[in-house]
């Protein structure tokens, strides 16, 4: 087992919500962060090229910080590239999936909402999770790509566009008026927990909000129980300049980003 930090990876800043969950469980855990902001958003890329890109960026970031565990804090990257990452890297790789199972357990009305990106909502992998763990539930799927943009802008210091948020969330609010009424929401994109206080304040009814952060933290503890130590870190890597994110990254304990050199891939 290597003794380096845990590396969080996402296409943007969504992985910071997972980093926050890990720090709640392991306050002394050394962590680094890498985001592929040069290719954000991932939903616009074809799957084959994107999968190769994710492996290339993660390998460069793992080498840069000598990570001992990689956390793929991105649903799209997890569904596409976990197999390739595990075949390429010699460290544990922990992925992210929408928290359908715990949401189904929490729902009293048996009506849950999946708030995610279009790519995650439409993937067969997501439907398989619903079939396996929420087959007795009504599941309202809401593609809310606008929330990703809002979270990225908000972390950089821009004000939130409440009208745009409400428009994206309207199908969710409408489902709370159905019979049975929606009572539990899966935050199926790691960007969305960053906005959770705002989502709670906008909701017309009290809801249970579920994300994958705690489950990922527990999994990291299982694959790397010896990593909890006082080794300092906080390094951050991006694939394009990201000065606008410096203050937001610092809020989550990460230093000013360093530019990551990534090997060119075919089709990029």
């Amino acid at each position: 087992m290597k003794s380096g930090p845990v590396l969080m990876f996402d296409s943007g800043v969504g992985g910071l919500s997972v980093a926050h969950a890990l720090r709640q469980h392991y306050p002394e855990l050394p962590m680094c962060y890498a985001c592929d902001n040069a290719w954000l958003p991932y939903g616009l890329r074809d799957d084959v090229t994107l999968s190769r890109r994710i492996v290339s960026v993660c390998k460069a970031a793992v080498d840069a910080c000598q990570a001992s565990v990689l956390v793929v804090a991105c649903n799209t990257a997890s569904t596409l590239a976990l197999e390739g990452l595990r075949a390429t890297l010699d460290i544990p790789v922990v992925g992210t999936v929408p928290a359908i199972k715990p949401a189904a357990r929490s729902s009293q009305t048996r009506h849950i909402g999946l708030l995610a990106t279009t790519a995650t909502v439409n993937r067969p992998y997501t439907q398989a999770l619903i079939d396996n763990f929420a087959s007795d539930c009504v599941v309202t799927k809401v593609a809310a790509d606008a929330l990703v943009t809002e979270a990225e802008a908000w972390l950089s210091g821009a004000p939130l566009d409440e009208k745009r948020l409400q428009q994206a969330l309207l199908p969710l609010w409408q489902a709370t008026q159905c019979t049975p009424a929606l009572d539990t929401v899966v935050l199926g994109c790691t960007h969305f927990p960053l906005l959770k206080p705002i989502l709670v304040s906008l909701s017309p009814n009290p809801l249970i909000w579920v994300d994958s952060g705690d489950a990922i933290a527990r999994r990291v503890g299982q694959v790397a129980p010896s990593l909890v130590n006082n080794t300092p870190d906080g390094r951050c890597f991006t694939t394009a300049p990201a000065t606008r994110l410096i203050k937001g990254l610092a809020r989550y304990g990460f230093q000013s980003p360093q530019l990551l050199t990534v090997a060119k891939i075919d089709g990029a």
Side-chain angles (χ1 to χ4, degrees), residues 32-33 52 56-58 85 90 94 101 119 134 147 150 170 172-173 182 188 193 197 205 211 230 236 261:
C32 290
Y33 193 85
R52 288 198 292 257
S56 181
V57 173
C58 286
L85 287 166
D90 61 353
V94 177
K101 185 176 181 179
L147 268 65
E150 288 297 312
L170 182 60
L172 207 62
W173 306 154
L182 180 148
N205 301 98
D211 63 69
N230 291 306
C236 179
T261 302

Side-chain angles (χ1 to χ4, degrees), residues 132-156:
N132 290 335
F133 301 115
S135 59
D136 66 332
C137 295
V138 176
V139 180
T140 296
K141 301 177 183 177
V142 180
D145 301 80
L147 268 65
V148 174
T149 308
E150 288 297 312
E152 291 278 337
W154 179 72
L155 198 78
S156 70

Side-chain angles (χ1 to χ4, degrees), residues 37-50:
N37 57 325
W39 273 41
L40 185 72
Y42 271 178
L44 301 179
R45 313 285 180 168
D46 74 89
D47 287 358
V48 174
T49 304
L50 182 54

